[in-house]
Amino acid sequence: MPELPDVEGFRKVLESCAKGRVIQRVEVRDAGVLHGVSVRRLRDALEGRRFTEPKRHGKWLLAPTGDGPTLMLHFGMTGRLVCGRPGDAADAHDRVLFTVGGGRQLRYRDQRKLQGLWLAGDDRDVARMLDRQGPDALAVDRAEFEDALSSRRGRVKTVLTDQSVVAGLGNLLADEILWRARLRPTRRAGDLTEDERRRLYTHMRRTLRSAVPTGCVPPRDSWLTGHRDDPVPTCPRCGNPLRRTRMAGRGTVWCPHCQPDGD
DNA sequence: GTTTCTGTTGTCAC
DNA sequence: CGTGACAACAGAAA
């Protein structure tokens, strides 16, 4: 589920649900989602503090607590953040519950537990955890983006989803952006022309901008994403059949007609 | 009923 | 650099 737009949505959930409120109780229902921190230390570090302004970098959500430590959340494929009340029925996949003031409860819910929660003691700690992340896809400027691409030899789809190049794009977004920019995912990133790199940047921004308010990569009819699971996937732009392939173990959908070979 | 495959994640060995 | 395996799990396909 979570790519940049989803995580940005979770950031807003955290903000409206818990920002400025005292963390009264931390209940870990499944310690399997904790990384590098014990149940006790997480509880002791957070209870009594307040969440302050949450941040996001790529697919990471950062929940600082003022002078205290920063809770770092990654959602893997199935994680989400939901806001409810302490008495709400527990979902089978609610892994950690944060009861905060105002009668609210923030829940880290995740079916598959591919990622989870970390605790960073200070800003240097946060920076260390993010040191392999490239610039955020929504914050990177054009020059930096085009620079990062041209120095890469790999295929453009793989490069786009590499978090150390640009942080925040996942499988769906990469396919969507390449389709809009009319670039075949198998093209070598370093072989793109100046014009093609520029197109890629423009469409990355446009795609992110329209996806963020919806909190997901919307499966709209006019988007490629709206058709990737069709029984007979058809390009919403030209009507030709879409092709499904596999790149680096990820399902890849593209339009042979709209996304020409380009050598 | 049971086995196999797929998937919005990241990491690691080859 | 690229691919495949893996991690954990549910739901669909075979």
Side-chain angles (χ1 to χ4, degrees), chain A residues 80-230:
Chain A
R80 6 177 349 200
L81 205 54
V82 300
C83 182
R85 304 187 155 276
D88 289 351
D91 182 280
H93 303 113
D94 282 342
R95 310 295 184 184
V96 184
L97 315 179
F98 302 90
T99 305
V100 298
R104 306 287 187 93
Q105 190 175 62
L106 193 65
R107 301 179 175 207
Y108 179 80
R109 183 175 294 174
D110 185 23
Q111 174 195 114
R112 288 173 60 176
K113 302 191 283 184
L114 290 175
Q115 300 294 325
L117 273 45
W118 284 254
L119 192 68
D122 54 29
D123 288 352
R124 284 221 328 266
D125 231 13
V126 172
R128 257 193 19 239
M129 305 239 0
L130 298 179
D131 70 351
R132 298 181 67 176
Q133 297 279 302
D136 184 79
L138 210 46
V140 66
D141 66 44
R142 199 181 60 193
E144 196 178 2
F145 176 78
E146 294 185 8
D147 211 46
L149 279 184
S150 48
S151 64
R152 289 301 179 128
R153 294 278 158 247
R155 296 171 164 178
V156 64
K157 153 127 190 199
T158 312
V159 170
L160 281 182
T161 53
D162 183 339
Q163 303 301 293
S164 70
V165 177
V166 189
L169 307 182
N171 199 40
L172 296 187
L173 275 172
D175 282 358
E176 186 71 40
I177 293 164
L178 288 167
W179 175 73
R180 290 189 183 207
R182 297 177 183 264
L183 294 170
R184 193 164 290 203
T186 47
R187 294 281 303 280
R188 302 271 151 188
D191 290 349
L192 298 183
T193 65
E194 171 100 36
D195 177 61
E196 290 170 332
R197 285 199 295 270
R198 176 169 301 202
R199 244 157 58 205
L200 202 48
Y201 180 74
T202 302
H203 287 290
M204 176 179 76
R205 292 199 69 91
R206 278 191 202 157
T207 307
L208 286 172
R209 284 199 170 292
S210 49
V212 161
T214 73
C216 64
V217 187
R220 286 185 199 135
D221 222 38
S222 59
W223 289 43
L224 178 71
T225 307
H227 299 273
R228 56 186 303 137
D229 297 326
D230 290 356

